[in-house]
Amino acid sequence: MFKITWYGHATLGLESGGYRILVDPFFSGNPLSPVRADQVQADFILVTHGHGDHVGDTVAIARRCGALVISNYEICNWLDKKGVKTHAQHLGGGYQHPFGYLKLTFALHGSALPDGTYGGNPAGFLLTTPDGLKVYLAGDTGLFGDMKLIGEEGLDLAVLPIGDNYTMGPEDALRAVKLLQPKHVIPIHFGTFDLIRQDAQRWAQRVQADSSARVHILKADESFELS
Ligand code: NI
Ligand code: MN
């Protein structure tokens, strides 16, 4: 069983192999989040890139829960100095964690950390769960043609930004679905601020008319399960 919960913006909670995993845990200052950073639990935290709306509350949650943070080498270095336990990987590299096999994928974006420190290359994540489900978390990214290569792995679920301005917008996210060919899609990184307001229902109708993917629009704190 694999369960994913959206906390607004790009903040996700995963349950995989019996472990609790937070992705880009931005709770403080996230207007869509129904929960506070001190109310969540995590065994692992995944950070796609260094921007403040993704690193978010990583340090506080990791310290309180003793969670292991997985990110790129540069971001892990920055977190190590703040007393956080980390596991560094890098683009194209995978590792068998207790919750599944996790590979860092390319993302077309920036990654400076909140204090201006160089945060290496931004990433997405491709997770193969202990049950063999394949889940692609694109992170903040523009459209890129190598999404086709990621799609060749056979995706059960793709989580894609649709907000435009900072990441893919609805048009390019539809093209991404066609390259990735996932069974299910969840749109994120929209609606948080005026700059990234989108009509997700309308996007879902277009995706479903133009591909075989099923779109699931979650409310903040709502979950979706794969089995
Ligand atoms: Ni970003
Ligand atoms: Mn972002």
Side-chain angles (χ1 to χ4, degrees), residues 173-190:
L174 170 57
R175 295 166 75 192
V177 171
K178 291 180 183 176
L179 292 171
L180 293 164
Q181 303 194 345
K183 291 194 186 108
H184 301 275
V185 180
I186 294 174
I188 64 166
H189 213 278
F190 70 95

Side-chain angles (χ1 to χ4, degrees), residues 1 33 38 41 49 57 73 76-77 89 96 104-105 122 149 156 163 165 174 185 194-195 199 220 223:
M1 194 274 280
S33 176
D38 60 4
Q41 294 297 329
H49 66 291
D57 300 293
Y73 171 76
C76 285
N77 244 346
Q89 296 183 216
Q96 187 67 53
L104 263 65
T105 58
L149 297 179
D156 294 286
N165 194 75
L174 170 57
V185 180
D194 282 339
L195 271 173
D199 186 340
S223 300

Side-chain angles (χ1 to χ4, degrees), residues 9 48-54 109-111 122 140-141 166-167 189:
H9 200 57
T48 59
H49 66 291
H51 292 163
D53 58 323
H54 296 262
H109 196 66
S111 185
D140 279 12
T141 187
Y166 302 112
T167 67
H189 213 278

Side-chain angles (χ1 to χ4, degrees), residues 142-216:
L143 179 69
F144 54 90
D146 285 357
M147 284 181 176
K148 184 170 187 301
L149 297 179
I150 295 169
E152 283 171 8
E153 300 223 12
L155 302 180
D156 294 286
L157 170 66
V159 180
L160 305 177
I162 66 160
D164 219 348
N165 194 75
Y166 302 112
T167 67
M168 294 190 285
E171 294 294 328
D172 280 354
L174 170 57
R175 295 166 75 192
V177 171
K178 291 180 183 176
L179 292 171
L180 293 164
Q181 303 194 345
K183 291 194 186 108
H184 301 275
V185 180
I186 294 174
I188 64 166
H189 213 278
F190 70 95
T192 327
F193 323 109
D194 282 339
L195 271 173
I196 57 173
R197 219 161 281 292
Q198 297 295 340
D199 186 340
Q201 297 290 348
R202 187 160 159 268
W203 184 74
Q205 287 165 6
R206 291 184 60 200
V207 170
Q208 290 180 170
D210 217 6
S211 78
S212 56
R214 302 294 309 167
V215 181
H216 307 272

